[in-house]
């Protein structure tokens, strides 16, 4: 089939190429949805939207229309609204479609579209819009529908709220600590300079004033900014595990106490500039590493996929009810394309359910009246009523989440490289401190404490603690620039150890969920239209795919429609008798490639050709897989093996190809690999991969649109960047090499400083020079090295 | 000597003032979103036009086309 795609024509609203153009005035639109948005905006004099950023809109081609009626239920309102009073309510909507200036402009001008909106404010980073509205004039459901109508459908989840609040609050605390440490560090440096530059003897009083000021300034740093290091060190002591914070805390305490002692006894100016500088640098490292992609969610579970509410029969009236409130025996009404929220029994008529969401198998399953429907099935066709059998939290699908995989903490399974080095380092420091103390006890007992504290002070592995945050933090940013968004910097370390990669098929290896339909043969425009009308009448998956692939007007009526299960459909349109179905059904007897799905067409009993339905595999995937080589271990697909041949072409011969895998099978497969000592990375995209994603050492979710739901994972990879997966793995490995070099640099400085300390020559000036120099050179080295390697690997590859 | 102490105390008071104002601005959420305010200030409200420009030509393709 050759659809005429006018490539030069792009949609005025969303900027996507139009396949069949709908014109309004002189402006082309790709679909009715985009046109409707334009109509709404132009009617309300909001066309500035298009001037700010050309073709700013989001395509509404694949938009799902849902009812927001449940939002008006009092218990839902109460959960969602941040403030509620009779004449003013506030709500925060998460709107993933926000992506440019025009989006901000339109959403903030929402009051022009509906007078009930008092104020709307967009937060671009978080992709949220906070709306204050008058509940007497506009209902919450109308507000959500309005947003959806202009292309900014809100994503509503009842238990989302607190998460983002705590995340931003902990980020803020770190900035407070950083600000105070930086402030005190700067001032203490200033007050320490006169001492270093040489104050005269008769300035003794000035000297002591400066010292006391320094001491006062360092108190908040010790008790507030540095507090988490002490807490962490204490905790690791209690767990009998030494982490990097133990030597840091020891060093900080030694620095502070020794300086306090020096100042109080008037024996010296102390090392307070080194102390505050150390805390300041450490906190910078923590802040740098703490970058997170706030608008992306990495910890969604099945609940995010479920509807929030369904229609429940209460006293002979259908009322929206939250799914958590469903009880056994409740009667529900599910409409076309809605998801069944709980295991239930089908009550009124046979219906088709699409379980692709749970199992990955795209072909809908027919359920007979009285049979059980599992939660997660999507109804296709006529509305159906169901009786709830098990509540959502006990349903078959939810049982996957009760698997122990979902309870484990990631920290337990992985010993961070920084902690392994810290353990060795700590023992060396303790040994060295003891030996030094012993030697000085013999030589000059009155100096022993001074030397011992000096050793602890300079042994403080500040540079060591900075190496990891800056190496991994820089790599995290590099990855983010190239479409790989990791949950946190620790993932890079696990990524570096990966030696087995497992892929999911649909949506991961193949592009999206829509297959490619090609027609071999000749058809007139009218015949194409007739086939569209005919196939649209059937709910068979292949019919639906064909119907969607044909873009033609719908101007004729269908008569004598007949569907023959397992064979095909037939009907009369515009006087032509059309049959669409299997070879036998239309009377075609040549041999064809048996692997692809083929659907034949006959017009007036004359075979006119056939549709070949193949999945579209992502471009350049084969090269990437070849580069991955032996690391690519398996393909796990929930679908049937219809695509086996095309998959064999893409994957190397030694790769295991498994089909008909349900979520539990996938999880078990990963577990088996891990028991063989492999570090496994799972690349998947759907809810059916979520068990495997969670079980694997690194789970990457593929997303072609950052607004779309991704299951719980360690990282989200932009679908277009999948062909760089091997490079990302290489870069992760390079970053551990860089980290090791940075470690040796920091050990080198520590050795120099220790040589001063054990011989008793560690003056405040030496400390004040050595500590910042070591920190800066480690930070500089790791940041530059990461960016250099990334440029060599990624940028060159992309251009 | 005395003047140095005076100057130091003045400078410290000013510096603490700036620190506090930073902490306050952080607390009040001014750094939460660093992008939208920068473009928001450039938006302007257009005066309402006298007549609504009506779309002149009707869409050519049929409207009943469904995806």
């Amino acid at each position: 089939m050759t659809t005429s795609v006018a490539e030069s024509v792009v949609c005025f609203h969303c900027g996507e190429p139009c396949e069949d153009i709908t014109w309004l005035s002189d402006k082309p639109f790709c679909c009715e949805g985009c046109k409707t948005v334009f109509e709404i905006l132009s009617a309300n004099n909001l066309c500035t939207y298009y001037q700010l950023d050309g073709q700013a809109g989001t395509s509404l081609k694949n938009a799902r229309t849902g009812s927001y009626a449940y939002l008006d239920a009092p218990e839902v309102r109460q959960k969602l609204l941040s403030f509620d009073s009779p004449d003013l309510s506030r709500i925060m909507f998460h709107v993933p479609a926000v992506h440019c200036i025009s989006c901000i402009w339109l959403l903030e001008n929402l009051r022009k579209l509906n007078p009930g909106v008092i104020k709307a404010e967009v937060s671009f980073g978080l992709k949220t819009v906070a709306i204050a509205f008058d509940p007497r004039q506009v209902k919450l459901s109308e507000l959500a529908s309005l947003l959806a109508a202009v292309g900014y459908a809100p994503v509503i989840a009842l238990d989302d709220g607190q998460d983002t609040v705590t995340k931003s609050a902990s980020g803020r605390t770190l900035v407070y600590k950083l600000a105070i440490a930086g402030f005190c560090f700067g001032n203490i440096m200033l007050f320490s300079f006169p001492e270093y530059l040489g104050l005269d003897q008769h300035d003794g009083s000035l000297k002591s004033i400066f010292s006391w000021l320094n001491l006062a300034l360092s108190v908040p740093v010790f008790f507030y900014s540095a507090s988490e290091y002490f807490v962490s060190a204490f905790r690791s002591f209690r767990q009998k595990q030494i982490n990097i914070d133990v030597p840091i805390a020891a060093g900080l305490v030694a620095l502070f106490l020794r300086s306090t002692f020096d100042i109080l006894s008037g024996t010296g100016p102390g090392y307070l500039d080194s102390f505050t500088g150390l805390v300041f640098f450490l906190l910078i490292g923590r802040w740098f590493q703490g970058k997170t992609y706030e608008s992306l969610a990495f910890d969604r579970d099945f609940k995010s996929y479920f509807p929030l509410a369904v229609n429940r029969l209460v006293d002979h009236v259908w009322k929206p009810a939250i799914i958590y409130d469903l009880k056994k025996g409740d009667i529900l009404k599910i409409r076309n394309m809605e998801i069944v929220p709980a295991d239930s029994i089908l009550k009124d008529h046979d219906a088709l359910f699409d379980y692709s969401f749970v199992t990955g198998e795209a072909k809908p399953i027919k359920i007979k009246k009285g049979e059980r429907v599992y939660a997660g099935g999507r109804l296709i066709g006529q509305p159906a009523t169901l009786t709830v059998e098990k509540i959502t939290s006990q349903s078959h699908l939810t049982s996957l989440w009760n698997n122990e995989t979902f309870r484990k903490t990631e920290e337990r399974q992985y010993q961070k490289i920084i902690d392994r080095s810290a353990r060795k380092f700590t023992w060396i420091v303790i040994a060295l401190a003891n030996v030094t103390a012993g030697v000085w006890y013999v030589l000059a007992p009155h100096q022993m404490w001074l030397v011992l504290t000096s050793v602890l002070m300079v042994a403080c592995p500040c540079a060591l603690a900075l190496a990891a945050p800056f190496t991994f933090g820089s790599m995290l940013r590099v990855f983010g620039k190239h479409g790989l968004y990791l949950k946190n910097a620790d993932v890079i370390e696990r990524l570096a150890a990966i030696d087995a990669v497992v892929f999911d098929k649909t949506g991961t290896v193949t592009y999206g969920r829509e297959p490619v339909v090609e027609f071999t043969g000749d058809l007139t425009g009218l015949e194409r239209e007739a086939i569209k009308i005919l196939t649209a009448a059937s709910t068979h998956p292949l019919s639906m795919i064909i119907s969607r692939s044909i873009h033609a007007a719908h101007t004729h009526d269908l008569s004598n429609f007949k569907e023959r299960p397992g064979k095909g459909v037939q009907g009369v349109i515009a006087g032509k008798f059309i049959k669409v179905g299997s070879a036998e059904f239309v009377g075609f007897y040549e041999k064809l490639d048996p692997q692809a799905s083929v659907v034949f067409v006959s017009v007036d009993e004359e075979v006119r050709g056939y549709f070949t339905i193949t999945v579209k595999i992502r471009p350049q995937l084969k090269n990437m897989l070849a580069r991955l080589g032996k690391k690519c271990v398996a393909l796990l697909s929930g679908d049937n093996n219809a695509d086996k041949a095309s998959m064999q072409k893409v994957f190397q011969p030694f790769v295991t190809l498994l089909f008909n895998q349900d979520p539990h099978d996938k999880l078990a497969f990963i577990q088996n690999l891990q028991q063989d000592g492999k570090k496994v990375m799972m690349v998947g995209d759907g809810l059916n991969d979520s068990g495997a994603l969670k079980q694997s050492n690194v789970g990457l979710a593929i997303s072609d649109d950052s607004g779309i739901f991704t299951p719980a994972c360690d990282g989200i990879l932009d679908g277009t960047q999948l062909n760089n997966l091997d490079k990302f793995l290489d870069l992760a490995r390079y970053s551990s090499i860089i980290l090791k070099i940075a470690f040796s640099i920091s050990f080198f400085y520590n050795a120099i400083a220790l040589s001063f300390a054990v011989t008793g020559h560690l003056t405040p000036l030496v400390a004040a020079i050595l500590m910042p120099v070591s920190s800066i050179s480690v930070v500089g080295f790791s940041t530059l090295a990461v960016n250099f390697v990334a440029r060599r690997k990624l940028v060159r590859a992309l251009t | 000597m005395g003047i140095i102490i005076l100057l130091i105390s003045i400078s410290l008071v000013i510096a603490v003032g700036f620190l506090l104002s930073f902490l306050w601005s952080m607390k009040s959420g001014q750094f939460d979103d660093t992008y939208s305010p920068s473009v928001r200030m450039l938006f302007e409200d257009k005066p309402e036009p006298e007549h609504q420009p009506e779309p002149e030509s009707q869409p050519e393709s049929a409207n009943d086309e469904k995806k």
Side-chain angles (χ1 to χ4, degrees), chain A residues 20-21 23 108 123-124 172, chain B residues 1 32-33 40 49 59 61 65:
Chain A
D20 44 343
I21 308 163
W23 293 90
E108 300 202 339
S123 171
F124 190 79
R172 263 188 208 173
Chain B
M1 171 72 186
D32 287 359
D33 184 4
R40 190 174 294 136
S61 310
E65 199 172 299

Side-chain angles (χ1 to χ4, degrees), chain A residues 420-574:
Chain A
R420 276 177 290 167
S421 336
R423 186 159 307 164
K424 282 182 213 154
F425 188 85
T426 311
W427 288 119
I428 295 172
V429 169
I430 291 172
L432 199 66
N434 279 324
V435 170
T436 318
V439 170
W440 278 92
Y441 184 74
V442 176
L443 290 178
H446 61 281
Q447 288 258 18
M448 186 193 79
W449 282 108
L450 297 184
V451 176
L452 187 63
T453 46
S454 305
V455 169
L456 286 178
M457 273 153 42
V458 293
C460 178
C462 172
L464 193 70
L466 284 175
F470 277 90
T471 310
F472 291 146
S474 310
M475 201 46 104
L476 193 75
R477 284 165 168 75
V478 168
F479 282 171
K481 245 183 247 164
H482 292 95
L484 172 62
Y485 309 98
L486 296 180
K487 187 171 162 183
N488 56 43
D490 296 342
V491 179
I492 296 176
E493 215 180 309
R494 280 184 271 147
L495 210 55
I498 293 298
D499 53 9
V501 184
V502 176
F503 290 91
D504 164 55
K505 196 195 75 181
T506 318
T508 307
V509 172
T510 63
Y511 186 78
R513 304 202 162 266
E514 286 295 297
V516 185
V517 181
E518 277 170 347
F519 186 74
T520 318
D522 274 321
L523 285 177
T524 64
L526 181 66
E527 285 161 353
R528 273 176 48 205
E529 185 198 327
I531 294 170
K532 181 177 172 76
I533 297 167
L534 179 64
T535 48
S538 161
T539 49
H540 190 276
L542 289 177
S543 295
M544 294 197 294
I545 291 166
I546 293 172
S547 171
R548 271 200 301 268
S549 75
I550 300 174
H551 302 290
H554 196 299
T555 49
H556 294 277
D557 286 328
L558 170 68
S559 59
N560 294 343
F561 174 75
K562 221 177 241 171
E563 182 158 6
R564 310 275 294 276
K567 288 179 178 165
V569 286
Q570 61 185 53
V572 177
I573 297 139

Side-chain angles (χ1 to χ4, degrees), chain A residues 2-22:
Chain A
T2 46
T3 23
S4 53
V5 178
E7 283 178 30
S8 55
V9 180
V10 293
C11 178
F12 183 73
H13 175 73
C14 68
E16 285 190 15
C18 302
E19 283 174 4
D20 44 343
I21 308 163
T22 313

